[in-house]
Amino acid sequence: MYAHAVHIYMFVKFKQKQRDYKQSKHIHIHRKSAEMEEGKGRVCVTGGTGFIGSWIIKRLLENGYTVNTTIRSDPERKRDVSFLTNLPGASQKLKIFNADLSNPESYTAAIEGCIGVLHTATPVDVEGNEPEEIVTKRTIDGALGILKACLNSKTVKRVVYTSSASAVYWQSKEEDVMDESYWSDENTLRSLKPFAWAYSISKTLAEKAVLEFGEQHGLDVVTLIPTFVLGPFICPKLPASVHASLAFLFGNKTPFGATRMHMVHVDDVARAHIFLLEHPNPKGRYNCSPFIASIEEIAQFLSTKYPQYQITTPDERKKINGPKLPDLTSKKLMDAGFKFKYTLEETFEEAIQCGKEKSYL
């Protein structure tokens, strides 16, 4: 009788262990499949339809990340986002959310569950149609609203904010080389009112604000400062920086508004964002600009490589006036371990080839 009872007890315990094992195995498999679905983790890219944002999405998907991206609200669904949804891996690992910088709370859903946020979205009003105060307020409020959503998420480990060279080089004194310690002076910008001056002020003050917010709230925030971004583009619209950098080919005899240009390939910009996202301990600001070239050097290269285009003559180029933009040294970024991949020639060639393929050239 006793032996029979022990046998029953052992049988019951065995069956219980079987059930526990199956349940734990199911949970493990479910967790593992969820991890496989997420890959390296989920990252939010704001401004996904933009030149830089779309290229970052492409790179993140290739690198095994799951991506949430935000685009401006499109109730009538007129905007074609197939250039994003057709990217390799996008059908399984890309989610698109509607959000607007004028309503920072609209980013909450896109940020939820993400390990990192790459904030490329920014209001751009180069024509100066809006007052500087409105552009600046929307840029800062939008950026800080996104950072608050990152804090509330409890999952975001780092934010990489896309700044601009225009937040660095507008100084009252001229310098040939500038590192990350230089900040554009808002009063100089208001006084001179150069092209897109309100945008430059908004980027300067927003970058300062996000870095300060990160320090005050214990959120890991770093900023990347690209110069003129050139190269091939995924988005259907011709990016303004590509148009400006290829101004000679579009028949503009006095392009750029400067006599010396700093440039970077869009893929290097995307790779630099991901590099800072993954870096164990990045700090503060990082210039991202491997090239500096005079208008004369750019014109000579283009006229030699593309004789079919009517490039300006040397005499015409001598009449071009404008600032000699400083060399924004990327020593800090390279010392951290980042390697630029593209030459100046490759950067121009790939931009021109893409322009031809999309019938802009």
Side-chain angles (χ1 to χ4, degrees):
M1 182 86 172
Y2 174 75
H4 181 65
V6 169
H7 178 73
I8 291 173
Y9 173 76
M10 290 178 66
F11 179 76
V12 170
K13 294 297 283 182
F14 172 72
K15 285 295 184 184
Q16 188 177 351
K17 281 187 177 180
Q18 262 193 331
R19 283 197 303 272
D20 289 347
Y21 173 75
K22 285 180 180 177
Q23 189 175 9
S24 68
K25 189 176 180 183
H26 173 73
I27 292 170
H28 177 71
I29 288 170
H30 178 73
R31 189 178 293 144
K32 193 170 182 182
S33 66
E35 286 172 358
M36 286 174 67
E37 184 184 326
E38 291 286 311
K40 283 188 175 181
R42 186 174 293 275
V43 175
C44 177
V45 180
T46 69
T49 55
F51 181 25
I52 295 173
S54 58
W55 203 273
I56 291 173
I57 292 168
K58 174 180 180 291
R59 271 295 186 182
L60 284 169
L61 292 172
E62 289 171 353
N63 289 4
Y65 286 94
T66 301
V67 181
N68 289 354
T69 193
T70 63
I71 64 173
R72 287 189 195 133
S73 183
D74 183 30
E76 297 179 16
R77 298 186 179 276
K78 288 184 178 180
R79 187 181 300 133
D80 181 13
V81 293
S82 61
F83 67 98
L84 294 177
T85 56
N86 289 338
L87 288 170
S91 58
Q92 298 85 26
K93 292 195 169 188
L94 175 65
K95 287 186 178 178
I96 299 176
F97 295 78
N98 287 324
D100 196 295
L101 287 172
S102 59
N103 178 22
E105 290 79 15
S106 61
Y107 286 87
T108 301
I111 290 169
E112 187 177 348
C114 291
I115 60 167
V117 173
L118 307 181
H119 179 29
T120 76
T122 191
V124 179
D125 177 34
V126 295
E127 302 298 330
N129 295 322
E130 288 186 304
E132 172 230 313
E133 295 80 4
I134 291 177
V135 175
T136 300
K137 186 177 187 306
R138 188 164 66 244
T139 305
I140 294 175
D141 288 352
L144 295 185
I146 287 169
L147 295 190
K148 288 171 188 172
C150 292
L151 272 181
N152 294 335
S153 76
K154 309 298 184 188
T155 59
V156 173
K157 301 291 190 292
R158 180 171 296 150
V159 178
V160 182
Y161 174 75
T162 313
S163 186
S164 164
S166 62
V168 177
Y169 63 75
W170 286 109
Q171 310 277 330
S172 56
K173 56 181 180 179
E174 285 192 11
E175 298 279 358
D176 193 56
V177 179
M178 292 183 180
D179 61 15
E180 291 81 1
S181 67
Y182 288 82
W183 287 93
S184 286
D185 179 63
E186 306 97 81
N187 292 326
T188 299
L189 281 161
R190 291 189 185 102
S191 173
L192 296 176
K193 288 186 171 48
F195 178 71
W197 64 277
Y199 166 80
S200 299
I201 291 176
S202 72
K203 292 301 285 186
T204 303
L205 297 181
E207 186 185 359
K208 287 181 177 180
V210 298
L211 289 171
E212 185 179 336
F213 182 97
E215 285 183 14
Q216 289 178 346
H217 295 85
L219 182 64
D220 193 349
V221 179
V222 294
T223 64
L224 187 74
I225 305 167
T227 50
F228 275 89
V229 184
L230 194 53
F233 44 100
I234 303 168
C235 49
K237 186 178 177 182
L238 179 67
S241 61
V242 175
H243 185 274
S245 301
L246 299 180
F248 280 134
L249 304 188
F250 290 104
N252 190 337
K253 300 294 184 183
T254 57
F256 310 127
T259 57
R260 187 170 77 161
M261 296 282 292
H262 36 223
M263 287 163 283
V264 59
H265 193 292
V266 63
D267 189 41
D268 278 337
V269 175
R271 291 172 53 248
H273 277 85
I274 298 169
F275 173 83
L276 291 178
L277 175 69
E278 296 175 342
H279 193 281
N281 191 32
K283 294 290 181 187
R285 315 172 83 198
Y286 290 85
N287 287 341
C288 184
S289 180
F291 311 124
I292 189 85
S294 68
I295 296 298
E296 186 62 33
E297 289 169 325
I298 294 170
Q300 285 180 1
F301 164 72
L302 292 175
S303 58
T304 302
K305 183 77 178 179
Y306 303 97
Q308 66 271 35
Y309 293 103
Q310 299 299 311
I311 309 296
T312 54
T313 65
D315 286 340
E316 287 173 324
R317 291 194 290 273
K318 286 178 184 176
K319 298 175 184 176
I320 297 174
N321 293 315
K324 180 185 174 185
L325 296 183
D327 181 5
L328 267 59
T329 175
S330 301
K331 183 178 185 300
K332 181 182 175 184
L333 183 62
M334 292 188 290
D335 284 351
F338 183 75
K339 291 181 172 61
F340 288 99
K341 186 176 175 183
Y342 300 87
T343 65
L344 181 62
E345 290 75 16
E346 288 170 335
T347 303
F348 270 101
E349 286 166 3
E350 293 187 13
I352 291 167
Q353 181 59 35
C354 185
K356 288 179 179 178
E357 290 170 1
K358 297 195 175 184
S359 302
Y360 286 108
L361 286 171

